[in-house]
Amino acid sequence: MKATTKYTFALACCAAAFSLTACAGDKQAASKPAPAQQAVAPTNYVSGDGVLLAYFSRRGENHTDQGIQVLEVGNTERVALKISEKLNQPAYRIQTVKPYTDNFKEMIEVAKKEQAENARPELQGPLPDMKPVKTMVLGYPIWHGTMPMAVFSFLEKVGCDNITIIPFNTHGSSGVARSVDDIRKVCPKAVVMDGTPIKGTLAATADKEAGEIAKKARP
Ligand SMILES: Cc1cc2nc3c(=O)[nH]c(=O)nc-3n(C[C@H](O)[C@H](O)[C@H](O)COP(=O)(O)O)c2cc1C
């Protein structure tokens, strides 16, 4: 596929993801966005000025203002799609080879075990090409006080030397918790900015925060 064709395809995917998000309105349970990385070549996630937007998010049961509900778009994903729109580039979704359970209670235990074992869950490819990356906007939920182990896998696998990382996260009540300190440990040669925590239940209305995060990436 020619580069221009790929780029047009990437934009089409983006547009599809945006329109689906827009259709969702403010409801947390919404239609599924296009699984972006299956359609976009890895290098096309990085803009001409070296910005990569990457996020991890889990769809399925989660706490909402209406109790436990099935979220078809995860909270972090919702914010990532808003940032993607502001930056006018697609968002790379970090995904594990072994999918996580939709069941909230089970997920709590699975994540606890992974953290206790300092696991590095295997990731789906293709991973983004980091060579042209100068700035990475990185989104994730807080799981048991830090980012999910899959995000550790991602940073270690793609590498993060000599780049600037702009973290953002969604959470139940913990704020950034240990996550930014942990990113600094995994990426000692990166400039890691302070994180932006967003309460998961407010993800659907986090347009101002998304704008501020996008501005950090492209002032
Ligand atoms: C396994 C698991 C562990 C969690 N641990 C925390 C936590 O330690 N602190 C917190 O504030 N929220 C915690 N939460 C809540 C999530 O951070 C929050 O719901 C987040 O918005 C989920 O984002 P996602 O939909 O993008 O996956 C946890 C959720 C799960 C599923």
Side-chain angles (χ1 to χ4, degrees):
M1 206 190 279
K2 274 196 208 156
T4 45
T5 323
K6 280 187 202 162
Y7 190 59
T8 315
F9 192 29
L11 287 178
C13 289
C14 252
F18 296 156
S19 60
L20 283 168
T21 313
C23 291
D26 279 351
K27 271 194 197 158
Q28 280 191 310
S31 44
K32 276 186 189 153
Q37 73 270 40
Q38 282 167 21
V40 184
T43 45
N44 286 343
Y45 286 98
V46 185
S47 62
D49 57 348
V51 176
L52 169 67
L53 165 61
Y55 71 96
F56 175 92
S57 183
R58 178 184 149 274
R59 299 168 186 167
E61 277 184 6
N62 205 342
H63 282 283
T64 73
D65 291 337
Q66 286 83 44
I68 288 196
Q69 296 209 342
V70 175
L71 303 188
E72 295 198 27
V73 178
N75 293 332
T76 311
E77 180 165 41
R78 221 166 237 295
V79 181
L81 290 173
K82 288 180 192 292
I83 300 169
S84 165
E85 195 167 8
K86 308 241 180 233
L87 289 175
N88 194 27
Q89 65 181 84
Y92 180 86
R93 183 173 173 216
I94 301 166
Q95 282 183 275
T96 51
V97 169
K98 188 174 171 212
Y100 287 115
T101 173
D102 283 355
N103 182 289
F104 185 78
K105 270 193 183 160
E106 281 173 25
M107 189 62 241
I108 292 291
E109 295 312 313
V110 169
K112 215 179 265 175
K113 186 164 178 280
E114 278 190 355
Q115 197 179 97
E117 292 172 349
N118 199 20
R120 293 293 183 270
E122 201 186 330
L123 301 180
Q124 281 185 32
L127 294 167
D129 176 13
M130 292 297 284
K131 270 189 234 105
V133 175
K134 292 182 189 148
T135 305
M136 173 159 64
V137 181
L138 179 66
Y140 50 83
I142 297 297
W143 280 6
H144 303 306
T146 188
M147 54 205 182
M149 301 319 284
V151 181
F152 287 79
S153 298
F154 178 73
L155 291 173
E156 289 175 0
K157 194 92 185 168
V158 298
C160 42
D161 285 358
N162 308 316
I163 63 167
T164 296
I165 300 179
I166 301 169
F168 72 94
N169 70 276
T170 66
H171 63 96
S173 60
S174 302
V176 302
R178 298 189 304 279
S179 65
V180 177
D181 287 345
D182 284 344
I183 295 172
R184 291 189 173 123
K185 281 183 202 150
V186 180
C187 299
K189 291 186 181 166
V191 173
V192 182
M193 289 193 177
D194 289 342
T196 302
I198 296 162
K199 214 168 183 313
T201 47
L202 300 178
T205 52
D207 297 270
K208 186 166 160 273
E209 291 86 345
E212 287 165 0
I213 295 162
K215 267 219 174 96
K216 286 191 192 178
R218 210 170 278 142

